[in-house]
Amino acid sequence: MSDSSPLPPVRLHPEAELARDALSTPLLSRAARLARWAGPETRVDAGGGLVDEQVPAAAEALGLSGDDAAADASEAWRVAVDTGLVEILDEEEGTVTAGEDLALLTGGSPQDVLAVWLAALETVLADASVPDLDGLVAEDGEVDLSALDWDPEAEAEFLDGVLGNLYLLTAGEDTPADAPVPLPALAASVIVPSDMSEPTNDVLEQVSEAMMRLDDQFRMLEPVGLVAYRPVDEALMAEADEEPAAPVDDTDVSRYGMVRLTPLGLYGLRARLLEAGFEAPAVGDLADKGADALLDGTAAFPPGAAQAETEQWLQRRESLDAARELLAAARGSDAGAPLRRLRCQQALSLVGASAEPALREVLDDAELGGLARVWLTEHGAADVPAPSEAMVYWLTIDTVAAQLAAEGNSEELRALVEGLARQHGGFFEAVWRVEHPATADVLEAMGRLHPDKKVAKEARKAAFKARSQQGG
């Protein structure tokens, strides 16, 4: 995932709701309880962890039992220390006290709570990148790191890559936000090369190994609220020569693990992406910006996100003022201007009839007169002057240029090109004369897109004439 291009916009839940979610996550709530449980007799080791003899009492305070009780209590304590809920008073004595940030969980703002949760998330992500050290402990109790094939930086990059792809899948409009992603598909997304049509056995083995790593990591990440996770079926982990206890359905993909980002997880990953220098927009970011920022900012948004962003922007303004601001921002002859005018037209479709005076004010404008007539006609306005032929052709070029910028060579644009050439006799002979910066580029695109070779040739000839006229 490159940090040079913006990521798709996401729709975040309100911060107050996210803060409540953060407080209710098992890991942060346990960390807060341990911070309140700690007292003058609590002792920590040189690394800030609870001394071994006090871990059972911490687990009991949390109501934990079973084989994982000690590990879960130790993890909660580590989060409490790393997030500032617990402060170490004297490293030599190992004494502690409640940290200043503990009060933020009950008396701070939603942003304060989320800041504490983000710190907890960083702790868990760091722990998730560390391999299981069981089996590497020598007889003297020391860990034999020489037997460990582990690259900390590579492991962190692997997990970041997986989470980045999960973010993209969650942000995309083609996938419902609450739809879980099969673990094999997520593992394959970072293992299988994009140009490999059929994975080799070696690559498939790498995908299987990645799935097992991710199964462990997502089990660790669920208690902090980053993901909702259905683990890999234990029957799949049985040895090949072992018979499963019951028949298993090999067609049930959910048996191989299913994961989705929670709303809190989406917020957390976006915060990390922004911190890493990515452009990661969220719907609502532009609501208090000017119309120029709205039109430019939503230029690359998918339709649903663009409409949601525009609706929030319009809610803060009177319809007439908003229409005037949008029309003023839509002017221009630069390469991005056609798409700005398309976004302007889409935004104006959301304003009411009270905006009519703003549209009438630009009827004689060479760049805006065409879209103003379209709006007025669609809203049933009276006395809308007919456009000149020159304006019709100019608006046609502007519209196709905008569609090219928004969608590229899409099927919808191909259909539009075919319709234009079919409905207007002598279209190419007339349109190459249009004084629009994008005329030649649009005609060249029509030559590429039209399936009829004769018509495509006419378009290319017209493009040559247009470029010659423009002195290019």
Side-chain angles (χ1 to χ4, degrees):
M1 190 167 59
S2 169
D3 59 1
S4 60
S5 57
L7 297 167
V10 294
R11 305 189 194 201
L12 300 177
H13 287 202
E15 287 188 338
E17 181 180 332
L18 292 172
R20 288 194 296 271
D21 290 346
L23 290 171
S24 65
T25 59
L27 192 52
L28 186 58
S29 62
R30 288 172 185 168
R33 287 163 66 187
L34 285 185
R36 298 184 181 101
W37 162 83
E41 303 303 317
T42 305
R43 292 294 181 269
V44 295
D45 57 27
L50 277 175
V51 294
D52 291 343
E53 54 268 28
Q54 292 191 344
V55 171
E60 184 180 355
L62 295 175
L64 299 174
S65 60
D67 295 340
D68 296 328
D72 290 343
S74 296
E75 174 77 351
W77 179 264
R78 187 160 52 253
V79 167
V81 172
D82 288 351
T83 56
L85 303 182
V86 168
E87 180 184 346
I88 298 176
L89 288 177
D90 188 320
E91 293 185 5
E92 291 187 4
E93 294 292 330
T95 54
V96 299
T97 188
E100 293 182 0
D101 287 350
L102 180 60
L104 296 178
L105 298 185
T106 53
S109 67
Q111 293 91 337
D112 292 331
V113 173
L114 289 170
V116 174
W117 178 81
L118 285 170
L121 176 62
E122 290 302 319
T123 294
V124 180
L125 286 170
D127 289 347
S129 297
V130 176
D132 186 0
L133 300 179
D134 290 345
L136 297 175
V137 181
E139 293 182 359
D140 59 2
E142 295 295 320
V143 177
D144 182 12
L145 294 177
S146 64
L148 185 63
D149 181 18
W150 175 50
D151 182 340
E153 186 174 334
E155 192 66 28
E157 287 180 0
F158 168 77
L159 183 55
D160 282 345
V162 169
L163 293 176
N165 285 354
L166 187 57
Y167 181 90
L168 290 174
L169 290 168
T170 306
E173 290 199 349
D174 295 335
T175 306
D178 58 351
V181 179
L183 194 60
L186 193 57
S189 72
V190 294
I191 298 295
V192 181
S194 58
D195 58 352
M196 179 177 285
S197 57
E198 191 70 27
T200 63
N201 289 336
D202 179 60
V203 169
L204 290 175
E205 185 176 345
Q206 292 179 48
V207 171
S208 295
E209 291 174 356
M211 284 174 55
M212 294 304 100
R213 288 158 63 193
L214 289 172
D215 181 64
D216 290 336
Q217 290 171 327
F218 283 135
R219 289 172 191 257
M220 294 181 66
L221 293 170
E222 187 171 36
V224 78
L226 184 73
V227 297
Y229 183 54
R230 176 174 176 174
V232 175
D233 190 336
E234 295 291 344
L236 294 172
M237 300 183 186
E239 294 294 334
D241 58 350
E242 291 182 5
E243 289 294 328
V248 292
D249 180 6
D250 289 335
T251 64
D252 183 6
V253 69
S254 66
R255 293 179 55 241
Y256 295 86
M258 302 288 284
V259 63
R260 67 172 176 83
L261 279 182
T262 64
L264 182 61
L266 186 64
Y267 168 87
L269 287 192
R270 176 176 180 262
R272 297 186 84 240
L273 288 165
L274 291 172
E275 183 69 22
F278 288 86
E279 187 177 342
V283 172
D285 283 352
L286 305 175
D288 58 350
K289 303 287 196 305
D292 53 346
L294 175 71
L295 299 182
D296 285 333
T298 57
F301 280 22
Q307 179 169 331
E309 184 71 63
T310 303
E311 287 172 345
Q312 291 197 30
W313 189 89
L314 289 170
Q315 286 171 2
R316 303 192 179 194
R317 293 160 179 82
E318 295 294 332
S319 293
L320 182 57
D321 292 338
R324 285 180 173 137
E325 191 177 345
L326 287 166
L327 289 164
R331 288 191 174 93
S333 58
D334 57 284
L339 186 51
R340 283 204 305 278
R341 283 187 282 273
L342 175 63
R343 292 301 191 209
C344 173
Q345 191 169 1
Q346 292 167 340
L348 289 170
S349 70
L350 303 175
V351 303
S354 59
E356 181 176 337
L359 279 299
R360 289 196 176 275
E361 291 165 4
V362 298
L363 282 172
D364 295 330
D365 189 290
E367 296 176 349
L368 304 176
L371 69 84
R373 284 166 170 78
V374 171
W375 189 94
L376 290 167
T377 301
E378 289 178 346
H379 283 73
D383 302 321
V384 181
S388 65
E389 184 179 76
M391 180 174 285
V392 170
Y393 282 129
W394 193 95
L395 183 59
T396 300
I397 292 293
D398 202 56
T399 300
V400 176
Q403 295 288 353
L404 275 170
E407 304 172 10
N409 299 336
S410 66
E411 286 301 318
E412 291 79 3
L413 184 56
R414 189 182 301 273
L416 175 61
V417 166
E418 291 182 42
L420 287 171
R422 183 172 57 251
Q423 294 171 11
H424 298 277
F427 175 80
F428 295 112
E429 182 57 32
V431 81
W432 69 263
R433 296 180 170 85
V434 172
E435 294 183 1
H436 189 295
T439 298
D441 291 336
V442 165
L443 289 169
E444 285 177 355
M446 294 181 78
R448 287 195 312 273
L449 293 169
H450 205 289
D452 188 298
K453 291 184 179 180
K454 182 180 178 181
V455 176
K457 185 176 180 180
E458 288 182 40
R460 290 193 295 271
K461 283 184 176 179
F464 178 78
K465 292 178 180 179
R467 208 167 290 287
S468 298
Q469 176 178 260
Q470 293 172 352

